Amino acid sequence: GETLFRAEARADAGFVVVSGTVELVTGSGARRRVVASLTRGAILGELALLTQTRRAATAVTTSECDFLRITRASFR
């Protein structure tokens, strides 16, 4: 139930799911919609590695997770 990042937040890094499961969610309350469920090996926020952008969805863990955070500067 931990939030990795929120929709509309500035994005300065991408993430690789090392272990666990994370959901990408849009909206809230009755309008809440899970747009993806990602597991080990998935990449989140890869567009942030290339350009300044904002998050399109909120990432919420659904289990114990480990992530590898890659900053734009490290990627370049």
Side-chain angles (χ1 to χ4, degrees):
E2 297 289 325
T3 300
L4 182 62
F5 54 77
R6 295 193 183 281
E8 298 302 320
R10 287 189 178 149
D12 66 345
F15 297 87
V16 177
V17 181
V18 176
S19 65
T21 305
V22 61
E23 291 182 337
L24 295 179
V25 179
T26 59
S28 63
R31 294 181 180 247
R32 184 180 191 273
R33 186 173 146 232
V34 177
V35 294
S37 182
L38 306 168
T39 59
R40 184 176 169 214
I43 301 172
L44 295 96
E46 61 275 9
L47 188 59
L49 299 174
L50 304 174
T51 188
Q52 291 182 356
T53 188
R54 293 192 178 268
R55 303 290 184 193
T58 298
V60 180
T61 63
T62 59
S63 67
E64 284 285 321
C65 291
D66 288 309
F67 297 97
L68 174 63
R69 182 176 184 270
I70 305 168
T71 65
R72 187 178 308 122
S74 294
F75 181 74
R76 288 184 178 179

